[in-house]
Amino acid sequence: MIKGRMYVNGEWTGDSLDTIDVLNPATGEQVGTIPNGGKEEARAAIEAAHQAFPEWAALTALERANYLMKWHDLILENKDEIAEILTKEMGKPLAEAKGEIVYSASFISWFAEEGKRVYGRTVPASSPNKRIHVQKQPVGVVASITPWNFPAGMITRKMAPALAAGCTFVAKPAELTPLTAIKLVELCEEAGFPKGVVNLVMGDAKAIGEEMTSNENVRKLTFTGSTAVGKLLMKQSAERMLNVSLELGGHAPMIICDDADLDKAVDGVIASKFRNAGQTCVCGNRIFVQEAIVDAFLAKLKEKTQTLKVGNGLEEGVHIGPLIEKKGYDKVKKHVEDAVEKGAKVIIGGEGAEEGNAYFYQPTILTNISDDMLVMNEETFGPVAPIQTFKTDEEVIAKANNTRYGLAAYFFTENYSRGMKLSEKLEYGIVGWNDGVPAVAQAPFGGMKESGLGREGGQEGMEAFLETKFLSIGL
Ligand code: SIN
């Protein structure tokens, strides 16, 4: 049992508050408790970050990179322990959890280096006695709200560039999965970050979110989560023009063309759709297969899918863990039932299992899919692959883009000219061509339309934490 605490101004706090239980979604057993913090705790953390900002921002990028690299190395040294905590509170299989820890550390090492390349520029002036400089400066205190599906990766993808840029940080992890975040912050302490540079609060999401958006000392809000909550935070932030980055929901199309390498396509669909039990905002949600190859594709997909084992992620050989909670399980069930009622055929799966407070769902493939089904209109957030066929590229592009979301899209073709045309027409921030898992630290991750604002990762991910200042000098 882990007794989690908040971290404010270099002190572990929150012992006097009520607690929230943290449960293992694979067993329903309690794995820890956290303090139920709120406005007051968020305010104290923001104040600590505000006080720490000038000194942190004044360090050289190299000095900040040294702290970040110590943190990075400690995370990798403690990879197995953190991964086990992650699996116990979130459910994903241990091998996947270890992969997430390595992924989360990759943001830290990449941004530690990128921080050294925050360049300004000089611009030719309009008169001989003037000079123009463009400078980049850290935005200030950053508040972050992160989700339960990637308890490590979503924090470091925000925190590493923010710290490297010279910002100080207040993190609020999801109440369902705070223990990984606590461990990561313990390692920040061990890495020696100065007091107040990194702060961690948790508890009442609404109260903490309101403080983060209304407190004048917060200069940037960075959020990953649902589109509904993103819109709410954006409305709250509009009041004082708070700079926001929002990484929100998706409804990704996966297009399998008749000239695809079928093995690549099947592997790509399995990786995208069943990773994290389908609980990722970038996972394929609508699969479109060109008519001529649908039988061959389905046969291969079914063959591989039936080898996937569902169970407790701590057990050897498990590929798909539980869904995080009953609400998510009920949604997946409802989507499959709705599809079947409207005529869908279950090729494999289609069954859930409730074991006490633990909720598992079989990897599921559905065909005979019509456009009015819930699976074609909402993010399922579960291991369900609805398959539709298409005839022409024009038809499939229109279908793929027919959504208010625009986070990730995928297509499989071995034809370069066809692939370039498809990629140009897809209205998505991330496009995987013969690639079901494209995200990496050095590339921009984020969505168009209602999938969000801004990008994380890559140069764009650093820019999100910088202000641009135009300096005009009269000589
Ligand atoms: C997400 O879908 O929530 C993040 C996935 C990733 O970083 O690969």
Side-chain angles (χ1 to χ4, degrees):
M1 265 272 290
I2 298 174
K3 181 173 163 24
R5 285 183 292 172
M6 295 184 282
Y7 188 68
V8 176
N9 203 25
E11 305 289 334
W12 291 96
T13 65
D15 281 340
S16 60
L17 296 171
D18 296 342
T19 55
I20 300 176
D21 293 343
V22 183
L23 305 180
N24 181 338
T27 60
E29 283 162 13
Q30 190 176 344
V31 285
T33 60
I34 53 161
N36 189 11
K39 260 187 193 308
E40 219 177 286
E41 290 69 31
R43 197 171 301 147
I46 293 164
E47 180 56 27
H50 178 60
Q51 294 300 332
F53 174 68
E55 272 188 41
W56 182 250
L59 293 183
T60 64
L62 178 63
E63 286 167 322
R64 289 194 294 265
N66 290 340
Y67 283 106
L68 283 162
M69 284 314 295
K70 269 190 211 150
W71 185 35
H72 165 271
D73 295 347
L74 285 166
I75 290 174
L76 292 184
E77 278 164 32
N78 290 275
K79 181 179 86 178
D80 292 349
E81 185 193 340
I82 314 172
E84 195 174 319
I85 295 172
L86 199 160
T87 293
K88 280 188 178 156
E89 66 175 351
M90 193 270 143
K92 70 178 60 173
L94 199 53
E96 235 181 278
K98 286 183 188 169
E100 183 180 338
I101 302 307
V102 173
Y103 178 55
S104 67
S106 74
F107 290 105
I108 304 172
S109 52
W110 197 80
F111 280 109
E113 288 304 314
E114 190 63 8
K116 300 172 191 167
R117 290 183 281 273
V118 174
Y119 304 132
R121 60 190 206 276
T122 57
V123 178
S126 309
S127 62
N129 59 345
K130 282 200 178 192
R131 298 292 181 271
I132 294 175
H133 289 195
V134 180
Q135 299 175 340
K136 296 285 178 183
Q137 294 183 335
V139 286
V141 173
V142 174
S144 105
I145 303 179
T146 46
W148 50 263
N149 60 345
F150 287 86
M154 297 306 97
I155 291 186
T156 58
R157 188 153 80 188
K158 294 167 169 35
M159 196 154 133
L163 296 178
C167 300
T168 50
F169 206 83
V170 180
K172 193 211 85 66
E175 296 73 67
L176 290 168
T177 58
L179 305 179
T180 305
I182 291 170
K183 185 70 203 171
L184 290 177
V185 172
E186 278 173 18
L187 297 177
C188 282
E189 185 184 34
E190 206 176 319
F193 282 92
K195 275 182 182 196
V197 170
V198 172
N199 303 274
L200 178 69
V201 291
M202 54 197 80
D204 181 343
K206 187 167 174 287
I208 295 173
E210 279 171 6
E211 184 62 29
M212 285 176 159
T213 48
S214 63
N215 189 313
E216 283 186 0
N217 288 331
V218 174
R219 294 295 171 80
K220 169 92 195 184
L221 176 75
T222 171
F223 169 73
T224 296
S226 71
T227 293
V229 175
K231 285 182 182 177
L232 182 74
L233 289 168
M234 194 170 167
K235 274 191 199 141
Q236 290 172 202
S237 303
E239 198 53 44
R240 59 185 191 90
M241 286 295 162
L242 175 60
N243 178 338
V244 292
S245 289
L246 303 169
E247 201 267 273
L248 309 177
H251 190 34
M254 300 195 90
I255 301 169
I256 323 298
C257 298
D258 56 6
D259 50 15
D261 174 325
L262 283 194
D263 292 316
K264 266 190 217 167
V266 166
D267 287 347
V269 169
I270 292 207
S272 168
K273 182 68 259 185
F274 299 130
R275 171 170 84 113
N276 216 10
Q279 302 172 113
T280 73
C281 23
V282 288
C283 75
N285 230 35
R286 299 168 292 150
I287 299 166
F288 302 105
V289 185
Q290 203 156 12
E291 271 178 3
I293 54 153
V294 71
D295 291 341
F297 173 78
L298 264 177
K300 276 182 187 279
L301 183 65
K302 182 178 171 188
E303 191 188 320
K304 283 222 163 160
T305 303
Q306 62 201 7
T307 65
L308 300 178
K309 187 172 164 207
V310 180
N312 184 335
L314 287 180
E315 283 166 20
E316 196 64 36
V318 165
H319 303 95
I320 299 183
L323 294 170
I324 187 77
E325 56 177 347
K326 181 161 170 42
K327 198 164 72 177
Y329 173 77
D330 287 344
K331 185 177 189 195
V332 175
K333 238 174 106 185
K334 183 168 149 206
H335 275 205
V336 174
E337 281 165 8
D338 166 81
V340 170
E341 265 166 36
K342 291 176 180 156
K345 190 171 157 205
V346 179
I347 300 296
I348 187 169
E351 294 282 329
E354 301 183 30
E355 293 171 14
N357 286 335
Y359 304 92
F360 297 88
Y361 208 91
Q362 293 293 328
T364 297
I365 303 173
L366 303 174
T367 57
N368 277 3
I369 298 296
S370 54
D371 291 342
D372 61 335
M373 294 174 181
L374 288 174
V375 283
M376 296 304 278
N377 293 286
E378 288 177 17
E379 207 176 10
T380 303
F381 239 59
V384 179
I387 315 254
Q388 261 195 348
T389 56
F390 71 95
K391 286 189 171 59
T392 65
D393 290 10
E394 289 66 34
E395 176 200 352
V396 80
I397 284 288
K399 281 193 172 222
N401 287 338
N402 184 22
T403 165
R404 61 195 176 96
Y405 294 109
L407 184 57
Y410 308 84
F411 63 82
F412 293 82
T413 173
E414 294 297 308
N415 181 317
Y416 180 77
S417 139
R418 186 178 188 182
M420 283 312 292
K421 286 182 195 151
L422 285 172
S423 73
E424 283 161 13
K425 288 185 184 142
L426 285 166
E427 296 168 356
Y428 288 84
I430 304 161
V431 177
W433 175 353
N434 295 340
D435 185 0
V437 188
V440 283
Q442 65 271 34
F445 184 108
M448 298 182 183
K449 301 195 230 168
E450 291 187 28
S451 287
L453 284 178
R455 295 293 182 269
E456 295 186 333
Q459 289 170 1
E460 292 82 354
M462 179 64 89
E463 195 61 41
F465 298 101
L466 295 168
E467 285 285 11
T468 299
K469 185 177 279 177
F470 156 41
L471 173 66
S472 181
I473 309 167
L475 300 180

